[in-house]
Amino acid sequence: MVRPGDEFRVECREWTDAQIGNNDSANDVRDVDLSVAHVLSGPIGVDGAEPGDLLVVDILDLGPVPQQVGGAPGQGWGYTGVFAKANGGGFLTDYFPDAYKAIWDFHGQVATSRHLPGVRYTGITHPGLFGTAPSADLLATWNRREQALIDTDPQRVPPLGLPPLAENVISGTASGEVAQRIAAEGARTVPARENGGNHDIKNFTRGARVFYPVHVKDAKLSGGDLHFSQGDGEITFCGAIEMGGFIDFHVDLIKGGMEKYGVTTNPIFMPGNVEPRYSEFLSFIGISVDPDTDTNYYLDATVAYRRACLNAVEYLKKWGYTGEQAYLLLGSAPIEGRVSGIVDIPNACCSLYLPTAIFDFDVRPTMEGPVKKERGQCAVTS
């Protein structure tokens, strides 16, 4: 329990509970047991919080495990993974259906990778996942609507959703009938929902303030899934630089804030004031057309952003990166993704902004053409 006005530190395990190792094989990403994820810290009760309030959460500081070097993500290193299609896949899973991995070493605020040579950048460190507890009614709503979506194509790979799973359920101090209910009804933590959850917003960093809706007594804040860096969209699914570490919070309450400010479905937040000063970008455009099938989609921003990502991958391949390396780079680097046009029928337009300064060579187009070099390979499966 904490009180409004308190400052406190939360320590977090890496989201898979350190199933991924600092090595040159992606077998651990391929074989990861997702029934134990996300491993979260909490819940933290806030004295006086009642349904209808807004919980004000300030991120004061966060980072990897302080002064530690070791075998768990966050102890001086982190990783980015591409999940195999059969295990959840990623945004480009139809183009990259296998598992891949890149290990990143931390140098203060900067990350480098032996699996992605020629790249170094300052991370926007942030938590991927924090939120308040749902009410019983809200939890039942999630389970009903997500199961209805799954039922439209129950054999789909990857699945349309993840219903409650009793295997390896994390039920804290609960026991007996309560623990059994948690196993049968508890929501998986993969998506963002009305309570907050897995937003994966890279600007949710030092200096950010989040206003969470309160659905139960004491609010019950929990979370984790810390990231050293991430691009907009976290497109490989395990696309951030994943790590364990710490996060320092300040909390307060706005009594009756949900009604006062019309925050009835999802949190609102003020972005953090700490981020890299990248001023020059290469921007890749995508529209809602699938050139592989010559199909036009109506104002579909997902199709458009996927095409912008694929266009960036093809460009980076001209400099010697493999497609898998380029994919891992776009998931972890501080790229900016934007919905640039959503009204000009029939094509939505999305754009991906790639900072040029993260490369140790000039990545801009010139009359001389790209200089293609041998740039190794990321970790692959055996």
Side-chain angles (χ1 to χ4, degrees):
M1 293 293 295
V2 298
R3 295 180 178 179
D6 280 355
E7 297 180 3
F8 54 94
R9 172 165 291 187
V10 178
E11 296 177 344
C12 303
R13 293 282 282 177
E14 176 264 333
W15 75 286
T16 72
D17 205 18
Q19 294 183 58
I20 310 302
N22 185 350
N23 52 54
D24 299 322
S25 170
N27 289 355
D28 48 10
V29 175
R30 180 195 63 195
D31 301 332
V32 66
D33 182 359
L34 293 180
S35 69
V36 301
H38 295 81
V39 174
L40 304 181
S41 299
I44 299 156
V46 181
D47 189 41
E50 300 173 304
D53 295 344
L54 285 178
L55 178 65
V56 185
V57 178
D58 292 304
I59 297 179
L60 306 179
D61 197 10
L62 76 165
V65 183
Q67 290 83 47
Q68 282 196 22
V69 176
Q75 294 181 313
W77 65 280
Y79 72 91
T80 301
V82 174
F83 274 20
K85 185 173 183 178
N87 208 7
F91 192 50
L92 307 180
T93 193
D94 290 335
Y95 299 87
F96 301 97
D98 299 320
Y100 301 95
K101 182 176 74 178
I103 299 296
W104 299 88
D105 295 311
F106 302 154
H107 314 278
Q109 293 180 299
V110 175
T112 61
S113 173
R114 63 182 181 268
H115 296 127
L116 286 168
V119 175
R120 60 184 293 123
Y121 50 75
T122 301
I124 309 177
T125 308
H126 61 281
L129 196 166
F130 264 91
T132 52
S135 66
D137 288 345
L138 184 56
L139 176 60
T141 295
W142 294 348
N143 287 335
R144 173 189 51 77
R145 74 185 184 201
E146 291 175 23
Q147 188 61 54
L149 174 62
I150 294 168
D151 290 343
T152 63
D153 190 359
Q155 304 304 317
R156 185 179 185 272
V157 178
L160 289 170
L162 298 173
L165 179 70
E167 180 185 0
N168 291 323
V169 66
I170 299 174
S171 55
T173 59
S175 60
E177 183 180 342
V178 174
Q180 292 174 9
R181 282 195 62 193
I182 292 171
E185 302 172 16
R188 301 293 297 279
T189 54
V190 171
R193 298 186 179 93
E194 288 90 339
N195 68 321
N198 198 18
H199 283 130
D200 291 318
I201 299 172
K202 76 176 191 301
N203 302 97
F204 193 23
T205 185
R206 296 174 184 85
R209 170 171 286 187
V210 190
F211 302 86
Y212 286 111
V214 175
H215 299 285
V216 300
K217 183 179 181 298
D218 298 332
K220 300 189 185 301
L221 179 72
S222 60
D225 186 28
L226 300 187
H227 299 159
F228 188 87
S229 178
Q230 181 203 290
D232 282 340
E234 197 188 12
I235 62 173
T236 74
F237 178 44
C238 192
I241 299 180
E242 308 285 350
M243 68 177 191
F246 75 95
I247 181 167
D248 293 339
F249 286 124
H250 169 274
V251 294
D252 214 330
L253 286 173
I254 298 177
K255 300 299 293 182
M258 289 177 66
E259 175 64 27
K260 285 179 182 177
Y261 291 103
V263 183
T264 57
T265 55
N266 299 91
I268 57 177
F269 89 105
M270 301 167 63
N273 51 18
V274 177
E275 62 182 35
R277 295 180 178 176
Y278 293 121
S279 58
E280 182 183 86
F281 301 86
L282 271 179
S283 298
F284 299 89
I285 304 300
I287 59 174
S288 51
V289 173
D290 183 346
D292 297 328
T293 61
D294 198 28
T295 302
N296 214 131
Y297 293 85
Y298 180 76
L299 297 181
D300 192 322
T302 299
V303 172
Y305 193 55
R306 182 179 294 116
R307 180 46 47 188
C309 293
L310 289 167
N311 289 343
V313 167
E314 290 303 312
Y315 184 88
L316 291 172
K317 286 165 64 175
K318 296 297 183 181
W319 300 88
Y321 292 109
T322 67
E324 295 80 20
Q325 286 177 306
Y327 189 19
L328 288 161
L329 171 61
L330 296 177
S332 59
I335 66 168
E336 297 182 11
R338 302 181 184 180
V339 178
S340 300
I342 201 69
V343 296
D344 298 315
I345 61 173
N347 289 334
C349 176
C350 288
S351 48
L352 181 158
Y353 286 51
L354 178 65
T356 59
I358 69 174
F359 299 93
D360 64 8
F361 56 92
D362 188 353
V363 74
R364 298 172 298 178
T366 65
M367 297 298 291
E368 291 74 24
V371 178
K372 193 170 188 176
K373 291 186 176 181
E374 171 58 43
R375 302 189 188 275
Q377 176 57 298
C378 59
V380 301
T381 56
S382 59

